[in-house]
Amino acid sequence: MSVVDVKDGAPQSWFFEGVEKLMEIWFSSSAPDGPKKGANLIERWKWENILTHVHCKILDEMKHQDQTAYILSESSLFVSRERIILKTCGTTLCLQALPFIIQLVQDECGFDTVADFFYSRKNFIKPDNQPHPYKTFQDETVYLDTILSESASYCLGRMNRDCWYLYTLNHPENTSLIGVNQPDQTLEILMTNLSVESMQKFTRCDEKGNVRNAAKFTEDIGISDILPGSKINSILFDPCGYSMNGLLDKNQYWTIHVTLEPEFSYVSFETNVIMKDYKELIGKVLNLFQPQVVSMTLFANHVSKNKVHKSFYIKVPGYKRLDRQVAQLQDYSLWYSQLKKEIKNNGV
Amino acid sequence: MSVVDVKDGAPQSWFFEGVEKLMEIWFSSSAPDGPKKGANLIERWKWENILTHVHCKILDEMKHQDQTAYILSESSLFVSRERIILKTCGTTLCLQALPFIIQLVQDECGFDTVADFFYSRKNFIKPDNQPHPYKTFQDETVYLDTILSESASYCLGRMNRDCWYLYTLNHPENTSLIGVNQPDQTLEILMTNLSVESMQKFTRCDEKGNVRNAAKFTEDIGISDILPGSKINSILFDPCGYSMNGLLDKNQYWTIHVTLEPEFSYVSFETNVIMKDYKELIGKVLNLFQPQVVSMTLFANHVSKNKVHKSFYIKVPGYKRLDRQVAQLQDYSLWYSQLKKEIKNNGV
């Protein structure tokens, strides 16, 4: 490791936690004529104010139909009519935004109910580097329980190795305001131990020292081809690292974030695109980034066309399954799979 | 609560943790002609010595074919040729027996390999009452990792409500000594918030103050009918509480433990009986004990006839499903389900 940081007199190796905290909030309104406006019409500076509590900034934005996608200094924010997705990496304070978001959408749009809520993340590489309450998922659960009520939290995968945590709501009763009554599904592919060859391209400057154009880079490297026809906004960080947001019709989005340092390489892919079968999409993503270890989650609600149980049996060529789990929650089904790259006979 | 205990000057309500720590160990031998003898032939006093480390005692024993079942002051011990099951409740130190068991079966029988290992339990009602390392499952995992290697630990159900923890081995490679190569399955029904009416019968003396005969009680109350044809050993504790062990051919066992105090009522049912469909058995058990809340787990290895996936869809009349999960581990599949008694329209 070439970059060192001196803290308290002792040299500390440079480290960045690529693993994101991911919060998805759905709102509804009890007003007879519904909300005053969609959350996507809230002005940018109001989100910037909220993000000061998270310790991150808006770097760029893109609009498409009823969605606004912001690239943040640490990951992404997606705002649509009734859904907010805040995904932040590093040591940011993602959850601290929650009370301010609830207040903002109430004041601006008249959303008075959190219809559904999901907070999820993979286990951190270095949990002790995180500020409170992010050191343990138990602490995050306690923190969220001070804001929301009737929660259910889960751990999928191996608690003492790679795992994926989820905090969601356990609705006490069925009311028309509660739950997401439109098809909703989220696929996440969280990749670690990536191929150095794939990763070394994700730098601001090319081999000759020229600053790369992020949009052209996104096309050249093949990311645009993952979901063709998308409106894309991307950024290359200085000296290295990459983020992109993609928007499609019907409130569909996708997002990729790359941390390339070999000691803590991490790439996340997330989307809500509607597909009956994600096999081809998963293959494209894994082929591009060549990770050694992959955690995948697929979330689909009861009105989604995607049947999580079918995905349970997806075989990914070149990868060995370490774990797979299916959980049936109140309105959602959830699939988790942990894969490891197969070592070929010649040891490569 | 009528019974109080004074500790550190402050009155403490009487409490007993019925939730058991359950350890199942399978052994194999690398000797060309196999083990010298089965673990079931180890003398009783040697187990009694080991149980001093656990802080419990043998109260009674029963033999059937290659199995010996001991009723303990806190739950049960089953010893067969190559499998040891130690299940202990209260504040006992179940895991502390592990190094002594490994040594004993090596010295006595020539078993030199832990072929497979499972430690599981429901979340404790009062974890802070437990001695180290039982206060958290993370601590139990760390403790077991000092004895065993290459582990995988899981949490099924809701981490912040009712859940079920499992620690098992993640075999680094396939050798003929590793894993269980015979059909193996375990069904557990863990019941809380039991019907006071069902529970009040589990006392040493009947309404007239006469000491009950445990064997007759086991028949009269209908427990014998759960798995007819079993050899049964049962005990009624003074003043209340009940334990039974049942043995059947082909290494099959079942066991029930009852903690009846309404403030912390808990009943566990566990068996490895081979059945294609456990629906009728589950119905019999729930009908007998009438619990409000039920956690069920079904574990089956790849050579078991029982297909865990089919059980995923079991509907239990009168109960509402809160959670269900399926996990596919290395050699085993695991099903978890959390049920709650449905409240009828008339509020009963």
Side-chain angles (χ1 to χ4, degrees):
Chain A
M1 282 172 269
S2 57
V3 186
V4 291
D5 182 20
V6 179
K7 193 180 169 185
D8 299 333
Q12 305 275 321
S13 301
W14 164 245
F15 173 75
F16 185 80
E17 186 73 68
V19 173
E20 298 100 347
K21 304 160 180 107
L22 174 58
M23 177 163 70
E24 179 170 325
I25 325 163
W26 290 78
F27 290 100
S28 57
S29 166
S30 63
D33 47 356
K36 284 182 279 181
K37 66 177 184 186
N40 56 308
L41 299 176
I42 295 173
E43 295 146 279
R44 171 170 164 164
W45 68 267
K46 290 177 180 166
W47 295 112
E48 283 173 333
N49 273 356
I50 285 181
L51 292 171
T52 60
H53 300 284
V54 180
H55 296 178
C56 70
K57 285 175 186 169
I58 292 175
L59 300 183
D60 207 354
E61 71 174 80
M62 167 177 64
K63 287 179 192 293
H64 179 65
Q65 295 174 353
D66 287 344
Q67 278 196 94
T68 307
Y70 298 98
I71 291 187
L72 306 182
S73 52
E74 279 90 358
S75 308
S76 292
L77 168 66
F78 291 89
V79 184
S80 57
R81 279 183 53 78
E82 56 209 357
R83 187 195 66 208
I84 315 288
I85 298 171
L86 178 60
K87 182 174 200 165
T88 70
C89 61
T91 53
T92 47
L93 308 171
C94 181
L95 299 177
Q96 269 84 337
L98 179 58
F100 298 100
I101 294 174
I102 291 172
Q103 191 66 52
L104 181 68
V105 301
Q106 173 140 29
D107 294 348
E108 292 273 322
C109 314
F111 286 118
D112 53 9
T113 304
V114 174
D116 220 335
F117 180 87
F118 307 94
Y119 172 66
S120 65
R121 64 169 175 87
K122 196 183 166 307
N123 58 304
F124 291 127
I125 301 168
K126 293 198 177 182
D128 289 342
N129 280 16
Q130 291 292 325
H132 180 78
Y134 304 96
K135 287 187 202 301
T136 71
F137 187 66
Q138 284 77 358
D139 286 345
E140 291 167 304
T141 298
V142 169
Y143 178 84
L144 284 169
D145 278 347
T146 64
I147 304 166
L148 303 166
S149 56
E150 284 292 327
S151 66
S153 68
Y154 301 89
C155 175
L156 287 101
R158 301 181 186 188
M159 288 180 86
N160 61 340
R161 301 277 186 274
D162 276 313
C163 64
W164 186 82
Y165 298 106
L166 171 71
Y167 175 104
T168 186
L169 299 183
N170 176 45
H171 309 304
E173 52 187 323
N174 278 336
T175 84
S176 59
L177 286 174
I178 294 296
V180 177
N181 290 317
Q182 53 186 279
D184 182 39
Q185 55 286 309
T186 305
L187 171 73
E188 272 191 284
I189 309 176
L190 309 177
M191 297 164 267
T192 57
N193 304 80
L194 293 119
S195 138
V196 174
E197 201 179 300
S198 298
M199 286 297 97
Q200 65 189 7
K201 300 166 194 158
F202 288 85
T203 50
R204 185 137 192 271
C205 297
D206 63 16
E207 304 78 23
K208 294 174 189 161
N210 298 319
V211 173
R212 294 184 209 263
N213 174 286
K216 188 173 180 305
F217 174 80
T218 300
E219 274 194 23
D220 291 350
I221 207 163
I223 287 180
S224 313
D225 299 332
I226 294 176
L227 287 164
S230 303
K231 195 171 173 185
I232 290 179
N233 186 14
S234 60
I235 198 165
L236 278 158
F237 289 89
D238 190 16
C240 60
Y242 171 84
S243 283
M244 69 77 67
N245 290 333
L247 295 179
L248 285 152
D249 292 354
K250 295 179 188 166
N251 238 358
Q252 296 177 100
Y253 73 89
W254 54 298
T255 185
I256 294 176
H257 301 279
V258 176
T259 302
L260 82 168
E261 288 87 338
E263 299 82 6
F264 42 88
S265 64
Y266 172 83
V267 176
S268 69
F269 172 87
E270 178 193 339
T271 189
N272 72 338
V273 290
I274 301 156
M275 281 184 179
K276 274 193 182 168
D277 184 352
Y278 288 105
K279 199 176 169 178
E280 194 191 329
L281 177 64
I282 292 167
K284 276 184 183 177
V285 172
L286 297 187
N287 196 41
L288 197 71
F289 295 106
Q290 300 286 330
Q292 292 290 317
V293 183
V294 185
S295 298
M296 276 196 282
T297 61
L298 177 62
F299 226 129
N301 70 353
H302 59 112
V303 280
S304 168
K305 276 181 193 165
N306 195 280
K307 294 297 162 232
V308 161
H309 283 87
K310 286 190 181 171
S311 308
F312 193 69
Y313 298 102
I314 289 178
K315 280 219 170 200
V316 180
Y319 286 86
K320 188 189 165 195
R321 176 190 56 78
L322 294 182
D323 273 300
R324 60 182 173 196
Q325 288 183 40
V326 166
Q328 202 159 19
L329 315 183
Q330 204 167 26
D331 294 331
Y332 281 79
S333 288
L334 173 60
W335 168 75
Y336 170 89
S337 185
Q338 166 83 2
L339 308 174
K340 198 175 175 179
K341 207 171 175 71
E342 272 175 327
I343 296 162
K344 288 177 192 157
N345 285 339
N346 59 6
V348 179
Chain B
M1 282 173 270
S2 56
V3 187
V4 291
D5 183 18
V6 178
K7 194 180 168 185
D8 298 333
Q12 306 276 322
S13 301
W14 163 243
F15 173 75
F16 185 79
E17 185 73 68
V19 173
E20 298 101 346
K21 304 160 180 108
L22 174 59
M23 176 163 71
E24 179 169 326
I25 325 164
W26 290 78
F27 291 101
S28 57
S29 166
S30 63
D33 48 355
K36 285 181 279 181
K37 66 176 184 187
N40 56 307
L41 299 177
I42 295 173
E43 295 146 278
R44 170 170 166 164
W45 68 269
K46 291 178 180 166
W47 295 112
E48 283 173 334
N49 274 356
I50 285 180
L51 291 171
T52 59
H53 300 283
V54 180
H55 297 179
C56 69
K57 285 176 186 168
I58 292 175
L59 300 183
D60 207 354
E61 71 174 81
M62 166 176 65
K63 288 180 192 293
H64 179 66
Q65 295 175 350
D66 288 343
Q67 278 196 93
T68 307
Y70 297 99
I71 291 186
L72 307 182
S73 51
E74 279 91 357
S75 311
S76 290
L77 168 66
F78 291 89
V79 184
S80 58
R81 279 183 55 77
E82 56 209 358
R83 186 195 65 208
I84 314 288
I85 298 170
L86 178 59
K87 182 173 201 167
T88 69
C89 60
T91 53
T92 47
L93 308 171
C94 181
L95 298 177
Q96 270 85 335
L98 179 58
F100 299 101
I101 293 175
I102 291 172
Q103 192 66 52
L104 181 68
V105 300
Q106 173 141 28
D107 294 347
E108 292 273 321
C109 315
F111 286 118
D112 53 9
T113 305
V114 175
D116 221 334
F117 180 86
F118 307 93
Y119 172 66
S120 65
R121 65 170 175 84
K122 197 182 165 308
N123 58 303
F124 290 127
I125 302 168
K126 294 198 177 182
D128 289 342
N129 280 17
Q130 291 291 323
H132 180 78
Y134 303 95
K135 287 187 201 301
T136 71
F137 187 66
Q138 284 78 357
D139 287 345
E140 292 167 303
T141 298
V142 169
Y143 179 84
L144 283 169
D145 278 347
T146 65
I147 304 166
L148 303 166
S149 56
E150 284 292 326
S151 66
S153 67
Y154 301 88
C155 176
L156 287 100
R158 302 182 184 188
M159 288 180 86
N160 61 339
R161 300 278 186 275
D162 275 314
C163 63
W164 185 83
Y165 297 107
L166 170 71
Y167 175 105
T168 186
L169 299 183
N170 175 45
H171 309 304
E173 52 187 322
N174 277 335
T175 84
S176 59
L177 286 174
I178 295 297
V180 176
N181 291 316
Q182 53 186 279
D184 182 38
Q185 56 285 310
T186 306
L187 171 73
E188 274 191 282
I189 309 175
L190 309 177
M191 297 162 267
T192 56
N193 305 79
L194 293 119
S195 136
V196 174
E197 201 178 300
S198 298
M199 286 297 96
Q200 66 189 7
K201 299 166 194 159
F202 289 84
T203 50
R204 185 135 191 272
C205 296
D206 63 17
E207 303 79 21
K208 292 174 190 161
N210 298 319
V211 173
R212 295 184 208 263
N213 175 285
K216 188 173 181 302
F217 175 79
T218 301
E219 276 196 24
D220 290 349
I221 207 163
I223 288 180
S224 315
D225 299 333
I226 294 177
L227 288 164
S230 303
K231 195 170 173 185
I232 290 179
N233 187 13
S234 59
I235 197 164
L236 279 158
F237 290 89
D238 190 13
C240 60
Y242 172 85
S243 284
M244 69 75 66
N245 291 333
L247 294 179
L248 285 153
D249 292 352
K250 296 179 187 167
N251 239 357
Q252 296 177 100
Y253 73 90
W254 53 299
T255 184
I256 294 174
H257 301 279
V258 175
T259 302
L260 81 167
E261 288 87 340
E263 299 81 8
F264 43 88
S265 64
Y266 172 83
V267 176
S268 70
F269 173 87
E270 178 194 340
T271 189
N272 73 338
V273 291
I274 301 157
M275 281 185 180
K276 276 192 183 170
D277 184 351
Y278 288 107
K279 199 175 168 178
E280 194 190 329
L281 177 63
I282 291 167
K284 275 185 186 177
V285 172
L286 297 187
N287 196 40
L288 197 69
F289 295 106
Q290 300 285 331
Q292 293 290 319
V293 183
V294 185
S295 298
M296 275 196 284
T297 62
L298 177 62
F299 226 130
N301 70 354
H302 58 112
V303 280
S304 168
K305 276 181 193 163
N306 195 279
K307 295 296 162 230
V308 161
H309 284 87
K310 287 191 180 170
S311 308
F312 194 67
Y313 298 101
I314 288 178
K315 281 219 171 202
V316 180
Y319 286 86
K320 188 189 166 198
R321 176 189 57 79
L322 294 184
D323 274 300
R324 61 182 170 192
Q325 289 183 40
V326 166
Q328 201 159 20
L329 315 183
Q330 204 168 26
D331 295 331
Y332 281 79
S333 288
L334 174 58
W335 168 74
Y336 170 89
S337 186
Q338 166 84 3
L339 308 174
K340 199 174 174 181
K341 207 170 175 73
E342 274 175 327
I343 295 162
K344 287 176 194 160
N345 286 339
N346 59 5
V348 179

